[in-house]
């Protein structure tokens, strides 16, 4: 195993996903790629650019997310793992699959929030879409709040 992609959304399942990736990466000497797909900028999806304070708030959010994922990668490095943090914008499923292909991921680790079947029927699930379309094995980590 060479590359493990951990697709995080900075939710309560993130720590469990990172721990699992580390438990696999250390004995196999794999690199962990922590990937967070941020929502696209509003003008990317067809909205006009809003007031300056909206753009500043969006930039602040992206900076905070970048600092968070970079901190995760730094902690993994301190524990002996090769790790890289990527913050990218775009459609979530497509972006995860593109990065997986680009880094030749041997495994994708994702979280599941355990939403209802009705929610999935109308909105879909990123984990389910990646599971269906990925060329790499996908491991789903359940949310600790399930139950």
């Amino acid at each position: 195993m060479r590359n493990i992609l951990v697709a995080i959304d900075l939710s309560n399942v993130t720590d469990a996903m990172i721990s699992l990736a580390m438990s696999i990466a250390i004995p196999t000497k794999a690199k962990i790629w922590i990937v967070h797909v941020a929502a696209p900028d509003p003008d990317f999806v067809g909205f006009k650019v809003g007031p300056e304070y909206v753009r500043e708030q969006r930039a602040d959010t992206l900076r905070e997310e970048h600092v968070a994922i970079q901190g995760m990668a730094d902690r993994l490095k301190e524990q002996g793992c090769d790790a890289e943090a990527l913050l990218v914008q775009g459609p979530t499923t497509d972006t995860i699959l593109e990065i997986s292909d680009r880094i030749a991921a041997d495994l994708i680790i994702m979280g599941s929030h355990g939403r209802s079947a009705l929610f999935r029927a109308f909105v879909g699930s990123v984990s389910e879409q990646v599971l269906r379309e990925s060329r790499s094995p996908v491991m789903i980590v359940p949310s600790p709040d399930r139950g």
Side-chain angles (χ1 to χ4, degrees):
M1 186 160 306
R2 296 169 298 141
N3 292 297
I4 300 170
L5 187 154
V6 183
I8 64 168
D9 62 1
L10 299 171
S11 69
N12 60 349
V13 72
T14 297
D15 289 341
M17 293 166 34
I18 297 293
S19 294
L20 176 62
M22 189 173 71
S23 72
I24 297 169
I26 288 177
T28 63
K29 298 186 178 12
K31 181 173 186 171
I32 297 174
W33 296 81
I34 301 169
V35 177
H36 175 60
V37 181
D41 286 328
D43 41 328
F44 174 75
V45 292
F47 295 102
K48 293 182 179 177
V49 175
E52 183 69 26
Y53 75 90
V54 172
R55 292 193 302 272
E56 288 174 7
Q57 183 179 20
R58 180 74 181 125
D60 288 344
T61 299
L62 289 173
R63 274 191 290 277
E64 290 168 8
E65 291 172 346
H66 183 262
V67 166
I69 65 170
Q70 188 60 54
M72 290 174 201
D74 290 344
R75 283 188 293 282
L76 286 170
K77 289 175 185 176
E78 290 168 2
Q79 296 177 52
C81 284
D82 187 8
E84 187 80 32
L86 298 174
L87 174 73
V88 291
Q89 290 181 286
T92 307
T93 301
D94 292 342
T95 303
I96 291 168
L97 293 170
E98 287 169 14
I99 292 171
S100 173
D101 287 346
R102 186 167 17 117
I103 67 168
D106 298 295
L107 175 65
I108 300 172
I109 298 176
M110 301 185 69
S112 172
H113 297 287
R115 294 191 173 101
S116 71
L118 182 61
F119 177 88
R120 286 192 315 273
F122 285 108
V123 179
S125 161
V126 172
S127 297
E128 288 178 45
Q129 290 174 316
V130 170
L131 189 59
R132 273 195 310 270
E133 298 176 27
S134 176
R135 292 182 216 156
S136 303
V138 179
M139 185 176 291
I140 306 295
V141 178
S143 169
D145 294 341
R146 292 178 81 175

